[in-house]
Amino acid sequence: MAHIQLKNISKTFGNHTALTGLNLDIGDGEFFVLLGETGAGKTTTLRMIAGLEKPTEGQVFIDGVDVANWGAAERDVALVLQQYSLYPRYTVRQNLEFPLKPKIRRLPDAEIKDRVDRAARTLRIEHLLDRKTDRLSGGEMQRVSIGRAIVRKPRVFLMDEPLSALDAKLREALRTELKNLQMQLGATFLFVTHDQIEAMSMGDKVGVLNHGRIVQTGTPYEIYNNPRDTYVASFVGSPPMNLIDGKLVNGRAVMAPLNFELPFEGRAKTSGATDGRPLVFGIRPEDVYLESGAPVEARVHDVENHGVEKILTLRVGDAMLRATVPARTDVEIEQPVRFAWDPDKVVLFDKGSGINLRHAG
Ligand SMILES: Nc1ncnc2c1ncn2[C@@H]1O[C@H](COP(=O)(O)OP(=O)(O)OP(=O)(O)O)[C@@H](O)[C@H]1O
Ligand SMILES: [Mg+2]
C-alpha cells in the first residue's frame, strides 16, 4: 500500500513532448484511473512510476519519498500489461511461482505455495494451476498475469489497459473482479485505459489526460456532471454530451446558428455569464426530453435501440442532437417531435476557451 505523487512531471523523447507539467496525487488504497486517448501519455506515466523511464523534469514520490534514484526492483510496484507475458511452456503454477523465486531473497517454499494458492483462489484459477499457459483462453491468461502481480504483494499495482484485448463480456466480468480484488487487498491501483466506460465504472478517482496534460481529476460523478472543459464533456459519456453554440438573452438560451431557443430562466447556474457572451451549452442526452408541448421542433434523424432505452438523434435545421428516451417511446425516422431540456442540468462553457464557467477563475 502506498501513496503516490507525481510533481510537475515532464517527459520529452527527442523533440517530442509526451507529458507536460503533470501533477497527480493517488491516495493510499485508492483505485485511480488514468483515462486518455491513444498517444496521450498513459503508458509513459506508468513506466515512470515503475522506474522504467526517467522524467525529463519533475519528481515521483512513493510514500513521501523521492524515488528518482531507485531502480525498478526497489520501488516494489507491479506492472500488468495489455499483452500478457507468460512463459508458454510452463504451467500456471510455475508462472505464478517465478516472481517469488529470484536468486537473492528467495522465499521459503511453504510461503510460495501459500501465496500462489491464495492468488489462484482470489482469481478463481485454482482449477487451472497444472495447465500449461498456452492452453488458456485470453481471459484466463489475463487472470494469470494479474496473479503474477498479486503474489508479489507489491505496494502498488500499475495496470496498463489489462482488459482491452478481451471481448466485451469478459471485460465486464474482469472489471468487477479487479475492483473486488483491489478492495480485498486494500492496495493502491493505478489503472490506465482509453475506455471511458471502464474509467467511470471502476475508478474511485479519474484523471483525464489529453496530449500529455491532466485536464481534470475528480470522482466519476464530478467528471460526468461537471466536466472541466468541452474536451472532457465530449470524451466522457456514451453518447457524449451535446454541445451547442449559443448565448443567453433575457433568461433564454438562444442557439446560433441553429436558431432555436430554450428557457433558461432565473437559474443561479449562469455562473456569471452575461447576456450575449458566446457560449457553448452542454446537455447530456438523458437530460433532453420529448414532450408534445415542448418549445422546439425537430425531426427524428436516427433511432438506436439499446434495450432499456433508445438513443435518438434529433435534427434541428442541419444540426444534430442526441436524446436518450425510454424504450417504449414510439418514434419513427423523419417523424416531427418536440423537445425540451432540463435547464438545471445544462453546463455552460466559454466558447473561446472551452472551459466550464463553473471551473473558470
Ligand atoms: N520511447 C519513445 N520514443 C519516442 N516517443 C515515444 C516513446 N514512448 C512514447 N513515445 C511517444 O509519447 C507519446 C505518449 O506515448 P504513450 O505510449 O505514453 O501513450 P499512451 O497514452 O499509452 O497511448 P496508447 O493508448 O496508444 O497506449 C506518444 O506520442 C508516443 O509516440
Ligand atoms: Mg499505452
Side-chain angles (χ1 to χ4, degrees):
M1 271 141 283
H3 174 204
I4 300 177
Q5 289 162 294
L6 303 191
K7 289 200 179 152
N8 203 24
I9 295 270
S10 295
K11 177 69 187 176
T12 52
F13 296 103
N15 56 12
H16 177 77
T17 303
L19 297 172
T20 312
L22 194 77
N23 289 298
L24 274 186
D25 196 315
I26 304 168
D28 187 18
E30 195 163 75
F31 198 114
F32 191 99
V33 179
L34 195 58
L35 171 67
E37 289 171 300
T38 179
K42 304 180 299 292
T43 299
T44 306
T45 306
L46 285 194
R47 289 175 54 83
M48 227 139 32
I49 297 170
L52 302 172
E53 202 86 72
K54 275 198 185 311
T56 310
E57 244 179 74
Q59 294 156 297
V60 178
F61 294 88
I62 300 181
D63 279 338
V65 180
D66 184 341
V67 294
N69 297 315
W70 294 21
E74 291 162 287
R75 294 191 186 194
D76 194 17
V77 300
L79 187 55
V80 178
L81 302 173
Q82 177 180 355
Q83 307 84 357
Y84 5 93
S85 46
L86 303 175
Y87 302 102
R89 270 180 287 282
Y90 292 90
T91 63
V92 169
R93 180 180 289 283
Q94 288 166 325
N95 269 275
L96 293 177
E97 286 170 350
F98 273 126
L100 303 177
K101 290 183 168 174
K103 293 217 170 60
I104 21 161
R105 260 190 330 142
R106 201 198 136 121
L107 292 169
D109 285 347
E111 172 76 16
I112 293 178
K113 182 170 186 314
D114 186 54
R115 288 200 192 186
V116 167
D117 289 344
R118 263 169 203 266
R121 215 175 310 136
T122 308
L123 293 166
R124 295 190 283 116
I125 49 173
E126 290 160 292
H127 58 294
L128 303 173
L129 279 171
D130 297 317
R131 202 183 290 178
K132 298 258 172 64
T133 53
D134 48 8
R135 305 281 162 76
L136 300 176
S137 73
E140 290 163 348
M141 283 198 236
Q142 197 52 292
R143 285 202 177 91
V144 178
S145 312
I146 295 164
R148 283 167 57 91
I150 294 178
V151 290
R152 289 175 42 198
K153 299 192 178 169
R155 292 201 287 181
V156 182
F157 287 86
L158 304 175
M159 304 208 159
D160 196 354
E161 314 217 24
L163 309 181
S164 62
L166 308 174
D167 69 55
K169 263 252 152 55
L170 199 52
R171 206 158 57 219
E172 223 165 275
L174 274 186
R175 239 189 250 160
T176 315
E177 282 182 29
L178 269 182
K179 188 74 196 165
N180 288 340
L181 176 71
Q182 185 259 347
M183 291 199 269
Q184 206 180 322
L185 302 175
T188 307
F189 270 52
L190 175 53
F191 184 100
V192 155
T193 181
H194 64 268
D195 179 342
Q196 52 94 19
I197 295 176
E198 217 163 85
M200 302 304 273
S201 61
M202 296 177 86
D204 296 323
K205 276 236 186 89
V206 177
V208 183
L209 193 63
N210 181 21
H211 289 300
R213 291 172 195 271
I214 290 282
V215 201
Q216 184 173 7
T217 304
T219 61
Y221 183 88
E222 288 161 351
I223 302 246
Y224 190 81
N225 292 292
N226 198 14
R228 188 184 165 275
D229 60 19
T230 47
Y231 174 80
V232 178
S234 51
F235 187 29
V236 171
S238 167
M241 186 180 258
N242 294 297
L243 296 172
I244 317 160
D245 289 355
K247 56 194 179 184
L248 289 173
V249 179
N250 290 328
R252 301 184 63 74
V254 179
M255 306 308 179
L258 281 189
N259 274 326
F260 68 88
E261 292 188 18
L262 283 164
F264 205 78
E265 198 77 81
R267 304 289 166 183
K269 287 190 177 169
T270 53
S271 312
T274 45
D275 274 16
R277 173 175 175 181
L279 299 170
V280 177
F281 292 83
I283 185 82
R284 295 270 174 210
E286 61 269 29
D287 300 318
V288 173
Y289 53 91
L290 303 188
E291 211 172 59
S292 51
V296 188
E297 185 178 276
R299 295 265 170 178
V300 176
H301 186 75
D302 187 40
V303 180
E304 262 178 64
N305 229 316
H306 285 254
V308 289
E309 62 196 20
K310 282 177 182 157
I311 297 171
L312 308 184
T313 305
L314 305 177
R315 196 175 69 238
V316 195
D318 47 11
M320 303 293 176
L321 191 87
R322 304 305 247 312
T324 311
V325 299
R328 62 174 185 280
T329 311
D330 202 12
V331 282
E332 278 170 38
I333 301 227
E334 288 305 319
Q335 180 184 327
V337 291
R338 300 195 75 84
F339 75 90
W341 66 11
D342 181 349
D344 284 333
K345 298 288 174 60
V346 175
V347 182
L348 299 181
F349 302 92
D350 178 68
K351 167 76 179 139
S353 63
I355 306 277
N356 181 341
L357 298 191
R358 271 180 258 163
H359 284 254

PDB file of all heavy atoms in Angstrom, residues 11-14 16-19 34-47 53 82 160-161 192-194 209 212, ligand 1:
ATOM      1  N   LYS A  11       8.037  14.969 -19.746  1.00  0.00           N
ATOM      2  CA  LYS A  11       8.852  13.943 -20.394  1.00  0.00           C
ATOM      3  C   LYS A  11       8.931  14.240 -21.883  1.00  0.00           C
ATOM      4  O   LYS A  11       7.907  14.406 -22.553  1.00  0.00           O
ATOM      5  CB  LYS A  11       8.209  12.563 -20.172  1.00  0.00           C
ATOM      6  CG  LYS A  11       8.936  11.428 -20.852  1.00  0.00           C
ATOM      7  CD  LYS A  11      10.278  11.149 -20.216  1.00  0.00           C
ATOM      8  CE  LYS A  11      11.078  10.123 -20.987  1.00  0.00           C
ATOM      9  NZ  LYS A  11      12.430   9.925 -20.399  1.00  0.00           N
ATOM     10  N   THR A  12      10.128  14.330 -22.379  1.00  0.00           N
ATOM     11  CA  THR A  12      10.295  14.509 -23.819  1.00  0.00           C
ATOM     12  C   THR A  12      11.106  13.348 -24.373  1.00  0.00           C
ATOM     13  O   THR A  12      12.004  12.821 -23.713  1.00  0.00           O
ATOM     14  CB  THR A  12      11.014  15.841 -24.145  1.00  0.00           C
ATOM     15  OG1 THR A  12      12.214  15.889 -23.381  1.00  0.00           O
ATOM     16  CG2 THR A  12      10.163  17.037 -23.790  1.00  0.00           C
ATOM     17  N   PHE A  13      10.741  12.942 -25.569  1.00  0.00           N
ATOM     18  CA  PHE A  13      11.522  11.948 -26.328  1.00  0.00           C
ATOM     19  C   PHE A  13      12.054  12.703 -27.528  1.00  0.00           C
ATOM     20  O   PHE A  13      11.272  13.060 -28.412  1.00  0.00           O
ATOM     21  CB  PHE A  13      10.648  10.793 -26.805  1.00  0.00           C
ATOM     22  CG  PHE A  13      10.054   9.962 -25.702  1.00  0.00           C
ATOM     23  CD1 PHE A  13       8.720  10.099 -25.340  1.00  0.00           C
ATOM     24  CD2 PHE A  13      10.832   9.025 -25.023  1.00  0.00           C
ATOM     25  CE1 PHE A  13       8.163   9.326 -24.334  1.00  0.00           C
ATOM     26  CE2 PHE A  13      10.278   8.244 -24.018  1.00  0.00           C
ATOM     27  CZ  PHE A  13       8.945   8.389 -23.671  1.00  0.00           C
ATOM     28  N   GLY A  14      13.341  12.973 -27.575  1.00  0.00           N
ATOM     29  CA  GLY A  14      13.877  13.786 -28.667  1.00  0.00           C
ATOM     30  C   GLY A  14      13.184  15.130 -28.651  1.00  0.00           C
ATOM     31  O   GLY A  14      13.165  15.803 -27.617  1.00  0.00           O
ATOM     32  N   HIS A  16       9.931  15.373 -29.176  1.00  0.00           N
ATOM     33  CA  HIS A  16       8.508  15.126 -28.944  1.00  0.00           C
ATOM     34  C   HIS A  16       8.206  15.191 -27.449  1.00  0.00           C
ATOM     35  O   HIS A  16       8.843  14.523 -26.654  1.00  0.00           O
ATOM     36  CB  HIS A  16       8.117  13.760 -29.495  1.00  0.00           C
ATOM     37  CG  HIS A  16       6.688  13.423 -29.231  1.00  0.00           C
ATOM     38  ND1 HIS A  16       5.650  13.961 -29.950  1.00  0.00           N
ATOM     39  CD2 HIS A  16       6.117  12.637 -28.291  1.00  0.00           C
ATOM     40  CE1 HIS A  16       4.506  13.508 -29.482  1.00  0.00           C
ATOM     41  NE2 HIS A  16       4.765  12.703 -28.472  1.00  0.00           N
ATOM     42  N   THR A  17       7.227  16.018 -27.086  1.00  0.00           N
ATOM     43  CA  THR A  17       6.845  16.135 -25.676  1.00  0.00           C
ATOM     44  C   THR A  17       5.694  15.189 -25.382  1.00  0.00           C
ATOM     45  O   THR A  17       4.609  15.347 -25.935  1.00  0.00           O
ATOM     46  CB  THR A  17       6.432  17.578 -25.349  1.00  0.00           C
ATOM     47  OG1 THR A  17       7.532  18.428 -25.692  1.00  0.00           O
ATOM     48  CG2 THR A  17       6.110  17.743 -23.881  1.00  0.00           C
ATOM     49  N   ALA A  18       5.956  14.199 -24.518  1.00  0.00           N
ATOM     50  CA  ALA A  18       4.910  13.224 -24.204  1.00  0.00           C
ATOM     51  C   ALA A  18       4.083  13.660 -22.998  1.00  0.00           C
ATOM     52  O   ALA A  18       2.885  13.402 -22.940  1.00  0.00           O
ATOM     53  CB  ALA A  18       5.533  11.853 -23.953  1.00  0.00           C
ATOM     54  N   LEU A  19       4.715  14.317 -22.030  1.00  0.00           N
ATOM     55  CA  LEU A  19       3.994  14.760 -20.830  1.00  0.00           C
ATOM     56  C   LEU A  19       4.436  16.167 -20.462  1.00  0.00           C
ATOM     57  O   LEU A  19       5.614  16.501 -20.600  1.00  0.00           O
ATOM     58  CB  LEU A  19       4.305  13.831 -19.644  1.00  0.00           C
ATOM     59  CG  LEU A  19       3.881  12.371 -19.759  1.00  0.00           C
ATOM     60  CD1 LEU A  19       4.445  11.565 -18.593  1.00  0.00           C
ATOM     61  CD2 LEU A  19       2.362  12.250 -19.789  1.00  0.00           C
ATOM     62  N   LEU A  34      -6.423   6.429 -14.933  1.00  0.00           N
ATOM     63  CA  LEU A  34      -5.907   7.448 -15.837  1.00  0.00           C
ATOM     64  C   LEU A  34      -6.527   7.178 -17.201  1.00  0.00           C
ATOM     65  O   LEU A  34      -6.319   6.127 -17.792  1.00  0.00           O
ATOM     66  CB  LEU A  34      -4.383   7.323 -15.885  1.00  0.00           C
ATOM     67  CG  LEU A  34      -3.598   8.480 -16.480  1.00  0.00           C
ATOM     68  CD1 LEU A  34      -3.866   9.782 -15.739  1.00  0.00           C
ATOM     69  CD2 LEU A  34      -2.098   8.158 -16.432  1.00  0.00           C
ATOM     70  N   LEU A  35      -7.325   8.148 -17.661  1.00  0.00           N
ATOM     71  CA  LEU A  35      -8.099   7.970 -18.883  1.00  0.00           C
ATOM     72  C   LEU A  35      -7.560   8.900 -19.962  1.00  0.00           C
ATOM     73  O   LEU A  35      -7.393  10.097 -19.727  1.00  0.00           O
ATOM     74  CB  LEU A  35      -9.564   8.317 -18.581  1.00  0.00           C
ATOM     75  CG  LEU A  35     -10.538   8.408 -19.747  1.00  0.00           C
ATOM     76  CD1 LEU A  35     -10.750   7.049 -20.392  1.00  0.00           C
ATOM     77  CD2 LEU A  35     -11.880   8.972 -19.284  1.00  0.00           C
ATOM     78  N   GLY A  36      -7.286   8.348 -21.130  1.00  0.00           N
ATOM     79  CA  GLY A  36      -6.819   9.216 -22.206  1.00  0.00           C
ATOM     80  C   GLY A  36      -6.806   8.486 -23.535  1.00  0.00           C
ATOM     81  O   GLY A  36      -6.758   7.255 -23.586  1.00  0.00           O
ATOM     82  N   GLU A  37      -6.871   9.268 -24.594  1.00  0.00           N
ATOM     83  CA  GLU A  37      -6.873   8.677 -25.932  1.00  0.00           C
ATOM     84  C   GLU A  37      -5.491   8.122 -26.257  1.00  0.00           C
ATOM     85  O   GLU A  37      -4.527   8.392 -25.548  1.00  0.00           O
ATOM     86  CB  GLU A  37      -7.267   9.742 -26.957  1.00  0.00           C
ATOM     87  CG  GLU A  37      -8.733  10.113 -26.850  1.00  0.00           C
ATOM     88  CD  GLU A  37      -9.107  11.317 -27.697  1.00  0.00           C
ATOM     89  OE1 GLU A  37      -8.540  12.396 -27.460  1.00  0.00           O
ATOM     90  OE2 GLU A  37      -9.944  11.169 -28.573  1.00  0.00           O
ATOM     91  N   THR A  38      -5.407   7.436 -27.373  1.00  0.00           N
ATOM     92  CA  THR A  38      -4.127   6.854 -27.745  1.00  0.00           C
ATOM     93  C   THR A  38      -3.085   7.957 -27.937  1.00  0.00           C
ATOM     94  O   THR A  38      -3.385   9.018 -28.481  1.00  0.00           O
ATOM     95  CB  THR A  38      -4.279   5.946 -28.989  1.00  0.00           C
ATOM     96  OG1 THR A  38      -2.993   5.431 -29.308  1.00  0.00           O
ATOM     97  CG2 THR A  38      -4.828   6.704 -30.191  1.00  0.00           C
ATOM     98  N   GLY A  39      -1.894   7.730 -27.403  1.00  0.00           N
ATOM     99  CA  GLY A  39      -0.823   8.717 -27.507  1.00  0.00           C
ATOM    100  C   GLY A  39      -0.864   9.811 -26.456  1.00  0.00           C
ATOM    101  O   GLY A  39      -0.025  10.711 -26.445  1.00  0.00           O
ATOM    102  N   ALA A  40      -1.838   9.750 -25.532  1.00  0.00           N
ATOM    103  CA  ALA A  40      -1.994  10.812 -24.529  1.00  0.00           C
ATOM    104  C   ALA A  40      -0.840  10.836 -23.523  1.00  0.00           C
ATOM    105  O   ALA A  40      -0.578  11.856 -22.897  1.00  0.00           O
ATOM    106  CB  ALA A  40      -3.319  10.653 -23.788  1.00  0.00           C
ATOM    107  N   GLY A  41      -0.176   9.692 -23.357  1.00  0.00           N
ATOM    108  CA  GLY A  41       0.947   9.640 -22.413  1.00  0.00           C
ATOM    109  C   GLY A  41       0.706   8.722 -21.230  1.00  0.00           C
ATOM    110  O   GLY A  41       1.404   8.793 -20.222  1.00  0.00           O
ATOM    111  N   LYS A  42      -0.264   7.814 -21.355  1.00  0.00           N
ATOM    112  CA  LYS A  42      -0.637   6.948 -20.239  1.00  0.00           C
ATOM    113  C   LYS A  42       0.470   5.956 -19.890  1.00  0.00           C
ATOM    114  O   LYS A  42       0.876   5.843 -18.736  1.00  0.00           O
ATOM    115  CB  LYS A  42      -1.929   6.188 -20.580  1.00  0.00           C
ATOM    116  CG  LYS A  42      -3.099   7.086 -20.951  1.00  0.00           C
ATOM    117  CD  LYS A  42      -4.353   6.304 -21.288  1.00  0.00           C
ATOM    118  CE  LYS A  42      -4.228   5.352 -22.468  1.00  0.00           C
ATOM    119  NZ  LYS A  42      -4.054   6.027 -23.773  1.00  0.00           N
ATOM    120  N   THR A  43       0.950   5.248 -20.910  1.00  0.00           N
ATOM    121  CA  THR A  43       1.987   4.244 -20.663  1.00  0.00           C
ATOM    122  C   THR A  43       3.260   4.915 -20.156  1.00  0.00           C
ATOM    123  O   THR A  43       3.916   4.409 -19.234  1.00  0.00           O
ATOM    124  CB  THR A  43       2.262   3.433 -21.949  1.00  0.00           C
ATOM    125  OG1 THR A  43       1.057   2.767 -22.322  1.00  0.00           O
ATOM    126  CG2 THR A  43       3.352   2.405 -21.738  1.00  0.00           C
ATOM    127  N   THR A  44       3.589   6.061 -20.732  1.00  0.00           N
ATOM    128  CA  THR A  44       4.773   6.792 -20.290  1.00  0.00           C
ATOM    129  C   THR A  44       4.665   7.119 -18.797  1.00  0.00           C
ATOM    130  O   THR A  44       5.633   6.966 -18.042  1.00  0.00           O
ATOM    131  CB  THR A  44       4.929   8.090 -21.111  1.00  0.00           C
ATOM    132  OG1 THR A  44       4.916   7.742 -22.495  1.00  0.00           O
ATOM    133  CG2 THR A  44       6.209   8.812 -20.780  1.00  0.00           C
ATOM    134  N   THR A  45       3.494   7.529 -18.362  1.00  0.00           N
ATOM    135  CA  THR A  45       3.284   7.845 -16.941  1.00  0.00           C
ATOM    136  C   THR A  45       3.521   6.614 -16.067  1.00  0.00           C
ATOM    137  O   THR A  45       4.232   6.673 -15.064  1.00  0.00           O
ATOM    138  CB  THR A  45       1.844   8.376 -16.714  1.00  0.00           C
ATOM    139  OG1 THR A  45       1.625   9.475 -17.597  1.00  0.00           O
ATOM    140  CG2 THR A  45       1.630   8.823 -15.289  1.00  0.00           C
ATOM    141  N   LEU A  46       2.944   5.484 -16.484  1.00  0.00           N
ATOM    142  CA  LEU A  46       3.124   4.253 -15.703  1.00  0.00           C
ATOM    143  C   LEU A  46       4.586   3.841 -15.642  1.00  0.00           C
ATOM    144  O   LEU A  46       5.095   3.451 -14.593  1.00  0.00           O
ATOM    145  CB  LEU A  46       2.336   3.100 -16.331  1.00  0.00           C
ATOM    146  CG  LEU A  46       0.833   3.061 -16.160  1.00  0.00           C
ATOM    147  CD1 LEU A  46       0.311   1.691 -16.557  1.00  0.00           C
ATOM    148  CD2 LEU A  46       0.442   3.362 -14.723  1.00  0.00           C
ATOM    149  N   ARG A  47       5.260   3.924 -16.790  1.00  0.00           N
ATOM    150  CA  ARG A  47       6.655   3.474 -16.849  1.00  0.00           C
ATOM    151  C   ARG A  47       7.538   4.347 -15.959  1.00  0.00           C
ATOM    152  O   ARG A  47       8.523   3.882 -15.399  1.00  0.00           O
ATOM    153  CB  ARG A  47       7.154   3.478 -18.295  1.00  0.00           C
ATOM    154  CG  ARG A  47       6.506   2.343 -19.129  1.00  0.00           C
ATOM    155  CD  ARG A  47       6.910   2.413 -20.590  1.00  0.00           C
ATOM    156  NE  ARG A  47       8.343   2.439 -20.792  1.00  0.00           N
ATOM    157  CZ  ARG A  47       9.139   1.377 -20.815  1.00  0.00           C
ATOM    158  NH1 ARG A  47       8.624   0.179 -20.656  1.00  0.00           N
ATOM    159  NH2 ARG A  47      10.434   1.507 -21.017  1.00  0.00           N
ATOM    160  N   GLU A  53      11.440   4.419 -16.829  1.00  0.00           N
ATOM    161  CA  GLU A  53      11.642   5.616 -17.634  1.00  0.00           C
ATOM    162  C   GLU A  53      11.922   6.745 -16.653  1.00  0.00           C
ATOM    163  O   GLU A  53      11.329   6.788 -15.583  1.00  0.00           O
ATOM    164  CB  GLU A  53      10.324   5.896 -18.377  1.00  0.00           C
ATOM    165  CG  GLU A  53      10.440   6.724 -19.606  1.00  0.00           C
ATOM    166  CD  GLU A  53      10.778   5.867 -20.821  1.00  0.00           C
ATOM    167  OE1 GLU A  53       9.895   5.123 -21.297  1.00  0.00           O
ATOM    168  OE2 GLU A  53      11.925   5.954 -21.272  1.00  0.00           O
ATOM    169  N   GLN A  82      -1.058  -4.918 -21.161  1.00  0.00           N
ATOM    170  CA  GLN A  82      -2.133  -5.319 -22.050  1.00  0.00           C
ATOM    171  C   GLN A  82      -1.863  -6.690 -22.670  1.00  0.00           C
ATOM    172  O   GLN A  82      -2.728  -7.548 -22.739  1.00  0.00           O
ATOM    173  CB  GLN A  82      -2.271  -4.270 -23.141  1.00  0.00           C
ATOM    174  CG  GLN A  82      -3.302  -4.580 -24.174  1.00  0.00           C
ATOM    175  CD  GLN A  82      -3.387  -3.486 -25.221  1.00  0.00           C
ATOM    176  OE1 GLN A  82      -2.731  -2.448 -25.105  1.00  0.00           O
ATOM    177  NE2 GLN A  82      -4.176  -3.710 -26.232  1.00  0.00           N
ATOM    178  N   ASP A 160      -1.749  -1.437 -17.212  1.00  0.00           N
ATOM    179  CA  ASP A 160      -1.784  -0.736 -18.491  1.00  0.00           C
ATOM    180  C   ASP A 160      -2.770  -1.413 -19.434  1.00  0.00           C
ATOM    181  O   ASP A 160      -2.443  -2.387 -20.096  1.00  0.00           O
ATOM    182  CB  ASP A 160      -0.382  -0.725 -19.108  1.00  0.00           C
ATOM    183  CG  ASP A 160      -0.265   0.311 -20.219  1.00  0.00           C
ATOM    184  OD1 ASP A 160      -1.295   0.922 -20.579  1.00  0.00           O
ATOM    185  OD2 ASP A 160       0.852   0.502 -20.729  1.00  0.00           O
ATOM    186  N   GLU A 161      -3.988  -0.920 -19.462  1.00  0.00           N
ATOM    187  CA  GLU A 161      -5.056  -1.452 -20.305  1.00  0.00           C
ATOM    188  C   GLU A 161      -5.115  -2.978 -20.254  1.00  0.00           C
ATOM    189  O   GLU A 161      -5.098  -3.631 -21.299  1.00  0.00           O
ATOM    190  CB  GLU A 161      -4.865  -1.000 -21.760  1.00  0.00           C
ATOM    191  CG  GLU A 161      -4.554   0.481 -21.861  1.00  0.00           C
ATOM    192  CD  GLU A 161      -5.193   1.150 -23.050  1.00  0.00           C
ATOM    193  OE1 GLU A 161      -6.210   0.631 -23.543  1.00  0.00           O
ATOM    194  OE2 GLU A 161      -4.695   2.205 -23.461  1.00  0.00           O
ATOM    195  N   VAL A 192      -4.827   2.200 -16.175  1.00  0.00           N
ATOM    196  CA  VAL A 192      -4.801   3.062 -17.348  1.00  0.00           C
ATOM    197  C   VAL A 192      -5.742   2.518 -18.413  1.00  0.00           C
ATOM    198  O   VAL A 192      -5.785   1.311 -18.643  1.00  0.00           O
ATOM    199  CB  VAL A 192      -3.360   3.090 -17.898  1.00  0.00           C
ATOM    200  CG1 VAL A 192      -3.346   3.414 -19.354  1.00  0.00           C
ATOM    201  CG2 VAL A 192      -2.516   4.083 -17.114  1.00  0.00           C
ATOM    202  N   THR A 193      -6.514   3.385 -19.018  1.00  0.00           N
ATOM    203  CA  THR A 193      -7.409   2.924 -20.083  1.00  0.00           C
ATOM    204  C   THR A 193      -7.778   4.068 -21.034  1.00  0.00           C
ATOM    205  O   THR A 193      -7.664   5.235 -20.678  1.00  0.00           O
ATOM    206  CB  THR A 193      -8.706   2.315 -19.492  1.00  0.00           C
ATOM    207  OG1 THR A 193      -9.536   1.853 -20.553  1.00  0.00           O
ATOM    208  CG2 THR A 193      -9.490   3.337 -18.685  1.00  0.00           C
ATOM    209  N   HIS A 194      -8.180   3.713 -22.243  1.00  0.00           N
ATOM    210  CA  HIS A 194      -8.717   4.731 -23.147  1.00  0.00           C
ATOM    211  C   HIS A 194     -10.245   4.603 -23.190  1.00  0.00           C
ATOM    212  O   HIS A 194     -10.914   5.328 -23.900  1.00  0.00           O
ATOM    213  CB  HIS A 194      -8.121   4.575 -24.551  1.00  0.00           C
ATOM    214  CG  HIS A 194      -8.503   3.287 -25.205  1.00  0.00           C
ATOM    215  ND1 HIS A 194      -7.745   2.154 -25.125  1.00  0.00           N
ATOM    216  CD2 HIS A 194      -9.595   2.950 -25.918  1.00  0.00           C
ATOM    217  CE1 HIS A 194      -8.358   1.173 -25.760  1.00  0.00           C
ATOM    218  NE2 HIS A 194      -9.477   1.621 -26.254  1.00  0.00           N
ATOM    219  N   LEU A 209      -6.384  12.586 -19.178  1.00  0.00           N
ATOM    220  CA  LEU A 209      -5.131  13.010 -19.769  1.00  0.00           C
ATOM    221  C   LEU A 209      -5.376  13.343 -21.236  1.00  0.00           C
ATOM    222  O   LEU A 209      -5.941  12.543 -21.969  1.00  0.00           O
ATOM    223  CB  LEU A 209      -4.135  11.850 -19.644  1.00  0.00           C
ATOM    224  CG  LEU A 209      -2.657  12.089 -19.896  1.00  0.00           C
ATOM    225  CD1 LEU A 209      -2.094  13.061 -18.873  1.00  0.00           C
ATOM    226  CD2 LEU A 209      -1.891  10.769 -19.806  1.00  0.00           C
ATOM    227  N   GLY A 212      -0.750  14.705 -23.071  1.00  0.00           N
ATOM    228  CA  GLY A 212       0.309  14.847 -22.068  1.00  0.00           C
ATOM    229  C   GLY A 212       0.004  15.785 -20.926  1.00  0.00           C
ATOM    230  O   GLY A 212       0.877  16.069 -20.106  1.00  0.00           O
TER     231      GLY A 212
HETATM  232  N1  LIG B   1      10.453   5.623 -26.410  1.00  0.00           N
HETATM  233  C1  LIG B   1       9.802   6.575 -27.083  1.00  0.00           C
HETATM  234  N2  LIG B   1      10.408   7.308 -28.027  1.00  0.00           N
HETATM  235  C2  LIG B   1       9.761   8.296 -28.692  1.00  0.00           C
HETATM  236  N3  LIG B   1       8.478   8.606 -28.492  1.00  0.00           N
HETATM  237  C3  LIG B   1       7.801   7.916 -27.563  1.00  0.00           C
HETATM  238  C4  LIG B   1       8.425   6.857 -26.810  1.00  0.00           C
HETATM  239  N4  LIG B   1       7.494   6.361 -25.965  1.00  0.00           N
HETATM  240  C5  LIG B   1       6.368   7.065 -26.175  1.00  0.00           C
HETATM  241  N5  LIG B   1       6.544   7.991 -27.133  1.00  0.00           N
HETATM  242  C6  LIG B   1       5.544   8.962 -27.620  1.00  0.00           C
HETATM  243  O1  LIG B   1       4.989   9.630 -26.499  1.00  0.00           O
HETATM  244  C7  LIG B   1       3.573   9.789 -26.631  1.00  0.00           C
HETATM  245  C8  LIG B   1       2.859   9.117 -25.487  1.00  0.00           C
HETATM  246  O2  LIG B   1       3.019   7.720 -25.611  1.00  0.00           O
HETATM  247  P1  LIG B   1       2.335   6.670 -24.626  1.00  0.00           P
HETATM  248  O3  LIG B   1       2.795   5.331 -25.018  1.00  0.00           O
HETATM  249  O4  LIG B   1       2.579   7.081 -23.222  1.00  0.00           O
HETATM  250  O5  LIG B   1       0.807   6.879 -24.982  1.00  0.00           O
HETATM  251  P2  LIG B   1      -0.465   6.060 -24.453  1.00  0.00           P
HETATM  252  O6  LIG B   1      -1.383   7.054 -23.848  1.00  0.00           O
HETATM  253  O7  LIG B   1      -0.039   4.931 -23.615  1.00  0.00           O
HETATM  254  O8  LIG B   1      -1.109   5.560 -25.825  1.00  0.00           O
HETATM  255  P3  LIG B   1      -1.864   4.147 -26.155  1.00  0.00           P
HETATM  256  O9  LIG B   1      -3.278   4.309 -25.674  1.00  0.00           O
HETATM  257  O10 LIG B   1      -1.800   4.092 -27.635  1.00  0.00           O
HETATM  258  O11 LIG B   1      -1.126   3.057 -25.481  1.00  0.00           O
HETATM  259  C9  LIG B   1       3.217   9.195 -27.992  1.00  0.00           C
HETATM  260  O12 LIG B   1       3.140  10.248 -28.923  1.00  0.00           O
HETATM  261  C10 LIG B   1       4.368   8.276 -28.298  1.00  0.00           C
HETATM  262  O13 LIG B   1       4.581   8.179 -29.684  1.00  0.00           O
END
